[in-house]
Structures are given as C-alpha cells and as structure tokens.
Amino acid sequence: MSRLCYLPVVDSTNLWCKQHADQLEDGDAVYSQCQTKGRGRLGRSWQNAPGSALYYTVFLKGEMTDPASLPLAASLAVSRALEKVFGARTQIKWPNDLLINGKKLVGILCEGVPSGIVCGIGVNLTQSKEFWQKAQLPYATSLEASGIQPGEAAAERLAKELSAQFAPGGGLEAFRQKGFAALRQEYCAACVNLGRRVVFEGGEGLVKDVDGEGRLVVETEAGERRVFTGEVQVGGIYGQL
Ligand code: BTN
C-alpha cells in the first residue's frame, strides 16, 4: 500500500522526495499547500500560493517500459483525477501542461534520481484572477478563477486521487507495462497541439500527430520532424499568433 504524507511547509516536494528517496517505496507521495522553493521546468521557479494550490510529488521506482514518456502519461493521470474529483475538463498542451479555457492550470516536473523518478505536480486551486495579474502570469489560472469551486479539503481529495492513479496497479498501470502507446489515443483526444501551428527549437510547422513514443509529428517546409524535447509555442495558446 503506497503512503501519502502531508507536509505543512516544504521547500519543494520534488526536492523532499529526492532527499528521502532511499526511504520511499514505489508510489509513495507527499503533498503540501506551501512550497517556498517550488521548481518548474527548464530551470524556472514555480509560484507559491500558500493555501490556494496543491503541490504534490510521487516517487516511482517500479518497472517502467517507457520512462521518457512519463511526463505525458502523468498529465493524463492528472487530467483524469481533476475530472473525477471536481468534474473539471482539461486539455493538454504537449508535453504536459494542463489547460482550462486556454490557460495553464497544472505544471508537471519529472526528475530522475538513481533509484527512480520523482514526478511533481502543481495544481492551481483557488487563486483569484487578481493573484495572477499581480504575479504577472496572464496565461495562468486556477479552478476557482475558471468558475469551478473546488470545495472543502480540495488539496487532500485531489492528492488521494492522484495517488490512486500513480500507485502500482493504479490508473497508470497500462502505461507502466506497455509504454505511451497504451495511452496514445486518450492523450491525442486531449492534446491542444494537434492541427495547430507550432514553433519548436529548430523549426516550425503544423502538428499532424503524436506518435507511439510521445513525440510531436510536425509537418514543416523541410519535411516531417519529430519533436521530443524543449519548449513548444502553440498558435492560439498563451497569446501566440
Ligand atoms: C512547470 O514548469 O510547468 C512545472 C512545474 C512543476 C511544479 C510542481 S509543484 C510540486 C512539485 N514540486 C516542485 O518544486 N515542482 C513541482
């Protein structure tokens, strides 16, 4: 049985899991509502909103066929959990941002350690529109700012459902065993990039597909390109033309 532990204040739930990796079993997780040194993708920081967001990290160390696609699988797991717990319908901006009404609701940061992977998830629950204005993050949102009331004990309820997704034998078991191909259809149905123009590191073009390894298949003037890393700007999302 995986463990879920609440930390009233922490520097970063990802850092905490890395520091305690030798004591953690597959599927063990921690969560907090106050993170003083939250880490984002590509060396960025992640905004702290004490009491208004969920900061959750799960430690994964079991067999995994396709660990490189974990960020994509994790975004689907979070999307399922948000629908189940709050009835929220989200979309995925490749590889793993979750959007609601075109704004970022969830960020995910997966980091490898020698004994496994820590998968950190930040979910915006009740920050107000003014909070995002003040933080100068015009393309971020929360459940509440997008019209969904998360209700009592929202962080705890969501953390429990996330753990049900990530635990061994849980919602991501097919992914663990068969890799991204097992989730590809569900991922594509949620992915906002499909059919849109994107700018990636080294080119631009129209997204035709997401392949069985989780790569964006982009039709460019120079032919088809498969994109697996880096930042991708998507036409019509976050103010991109
Ligand atoms: C991103 O840049 O989009 C990824 C953000 C990931 C933030 C989460 S919050 C919980 C976990 N702990 C961290 O320090 N980062 C991740």
Side-chain angles (χ1 to χ4, degrees):
M1 182 77 180
S2 302
R3 295 168 295 181
L4 175 64
C5 175
Y6 171 69
L7 305 169
V9 182
V10 65
D11 49 2
S12 149
T13 52
N14 271 27
L15 273 181
W16 192 96
C17 283
K18 285 174 159 189
Q19 285 158 356
H20 295 82
D22 57 341
Q23 297 155 43
L24 298 176
E25 296 299 329
D26 189 21
D28 283 349
V30 293
Y31 74 101
S32 182
Q33 289 209 268
C34 185
Q35 209 179 219
T36 55
K37 275 194 193 144
R39 296 148 63 86
R41 287 182 69 223
L42 308 169
R44 298 186 190 121
S45 59
W46 186 251
Q47 182 89 28
N48 188 28
S52 298
L54 169 66
Y55 309 115
Y56 171 98
T57 298
V58 61
F59 181 66
L60 302 171
K61 71 171 183 185
E63 278 286 297
M64 203 183 287
T65 306
D66 184 9
S69 299
L70 176 64
L72 286 74
S75 68
L76 259 191
V78 184
S79 163
R80 289 174 184 167
L82 286 168
E83 178 146 24
K84 192 160 170 194
V85 178
F86 305 117
R89 303 287 296 269
T90 51
Q91 287 186 299
I92 300 170
K93 175 181 172 289
W94 185 95
N96 63 9
D97 283 356
L98 286 193
L99 312 183
I100 195 160
N101 302 330
K103 292 189 172 185
K104 182 160 167 172
L105 181 74
V106 174
I108 297 175
L109 175 65
C110 296
E111 301 181 90
V113 289
S115 54
I117 306 177
V118 299
C119 175
I121 298 162
V123 184
N124 300 322
L125 297 171
T126 56
Q127 295 98 321
S128 63
K129 287 184 179 160
E130 293 69 38
F131 175 93
W132 300 118
Q133 275 162 11
K134 262 196 188 157
Q136 298 186 315
L137 293 168
Y139 302 116
T141 192
S142 67
L143 283 177
E144 196 163 292
S146 43
I148 297 172
Q149 297 301 327
E152 284 296 296
E156 184 185 347
R157 285 185 290 129
L158 182 56
K160 284 183 177 163
E161 182 53 35
L162 289 173
S163 284
Q165 290 289 327
F166 285 101
L172 283 190
E173 194 53 36
F175 166 75
R176 281 180 183 248
Q177 289 184 18
K178 298 184 189 144
F180 179 72
L183 300 179
R184 183 173 161 262
Q185 238 184 336
E186 190 184 346
Y187 184 93
C188 285
C191 182
V192 287
N193 301 63
L194 286 176
R196 292 189 195 247
R197 294 201 68 78
V198 290
V199 178
F200 55 93
E201 281 157 30
E204 60 182 297
L206 188 70
V207 178
K208 306 299 282 185
D209 204 356
V210 179
D211 72 13
E213 291 169 42
R215 297 175 299 187
L216 273 186
V217 182
V218 186
E219 195 176 271
T220 74
E221 280 187 359
E224 187 185 285
R225 295 278 305 274
R226 300 211 171 203
V227 181
F228 197 67
T229 52
E231 193 79 303
V232 166
Q233 277 121 39
V234 188
I237 305 289
Y238 300 169
Q240 293 295 318
L241 296 176

